[in-house]
Amino acid sequence: MKYDIIVIGGSAAGLIAAMTSRKIYKDKKILVVKKLEKELVPCGIPYIFHTLGAVEKDYMGIEEKFKANNIDLLIDEVVDGNVQEKKIVTKSGKEFEYEKLVIATGSTPFVIPIPGHDLENVMTIPKNYKYLGNVQEKLKDAENIVIIGGGFIGVEVADEIKKSGKNVTLIEARDYLLPASFDADFGEIAKEEIESDNVKVLVSTKVKEIAGNGKVEKVILENGEELPADIVIMATGYKPNTELAKKMGIKVTEWGYIETDDYMRTSAQDVFAAGDCVQHKDYFTGKPSRLMLASAAVFDARIAASNLYKLKLLRTNKGSLNAYSTMIGGKAFAAAGITEAVAKAEGFDIVVGKAEVVDRHPGKFADASKITMKLIFSKECGLLLGAQIVGGKSVGEIINIISLAIQKEVNIKDLLTMQIGTHPLLTAAPTVYPLAVAAEQALAQM
């Protein structure tokens, strides 16, 4: 059977690749092939362990969207393909021809090969509803949970599991939490916040061994300390799913990601790729980036789908911009661009402006919260390079505005003269608006 467009994968990138294709190419015959019957909202996964309370409550519901938009769906696994013949083969033996192919095979958890990592009840956090349902069942009877990895997944999962009354220990090898996205000062705030919820946090700590007789019983640290553990969760990052691409002869990078151009075209004619399986490059340095975010996957997919037949959506940005947000305890954390530490390591001459204000005016409103903001600028030209914020839920949208500002090459004077709308119930006071306060402090150093 032949299709005009085939998408391999059904998570965020696969969903948007198919849906955008349908909007643009209304008469094309489209097929999505994915392994799992149900897909999860990737960023919602940690919350199945308490706030949502069930895996089913995190379903994307994309299967219904495909049906409503005349997109064919096959639950199967693509195991081979031929880019010369423009053909793919599934695990069940089905063969399909295509005009255009989008590979959106995503990523899987990366497990550090610590001795004992293969014991029973050593778990990961994949985007797999069946596996996560099993994790959830095991957690019901567990008392002591050890989470290895203090990035977003580790912190969010620790925060959620603790709400169920478990004894949770979070271990991070580096000196502070969220080290890939924040500087030490914000990492320390994150540590204080999660510790206030009685999660035990160990930073600058490495695991020597996971021990037990067939099933995990304890975690042994390099300093000799032993932690009792009924379940160990490895939150140590993800690796791209590129085995299929390699098998099809599509070029991958030294990091194991699919290599694409700015329009998500791979080395094979009429084959595109999007999402976690793709090699991104840092927005400022141009160096390979291990960026894996649903937001980045969606961006990739829109670019790929829009340009399948002609270059309709011209890409003007320089690379992939890191933009993150999360909730830890009662505080929102967000970051965009490069950190102060990375900027210095890369040789940027920078100035840093900070602001600490209340996000309502006056600050006596019941829902008021303190915003702590750091802006990083190029000292020579004043361009905004990065930002980090912690505060109330408004932080989640503030960081999106900052992300756009970075992409549009906003400088320090633009922020100082930015015309804003404020309201006592919604924002900080115009006299202490955090973007302006932080920019003003940075300008004084130039």
Side-chain angles (χ1 to χ4, degrees), residues 2 21 177 188 254 272 295 380 421 445:
K2 184 172 182 179
S21 294
L177 297 181
E188 185 58 32
E254 61 178 314
F272 295 68
S295 52
E380 177 139 353
Q445 303 171 54

Side-chain angles (χ1 to χ4, degrees), residues 181-182 321-326 333-337 373-375 384 386-390 393-407 433 435:
S181 312
F182 292 87
L321 184 68
N322 298 336
Y324 310 90
S325 58
T326 189
F333 289 74
M373 177 182 291
K374 173 163 69 173
L375 301 181
L384 180 61
Q388 294 164 51
I389 323 172
V390 59
K393 289 186 177 180
S394 62
V395 161
E397 288 303 330
I398 292 173
I399 205 65
N400 289 336
I401 297 301
I402 290 175
S403 176
L404 179 62
I406 293 172
Q407 293 173 65
Y433 197 71
L435 284 169

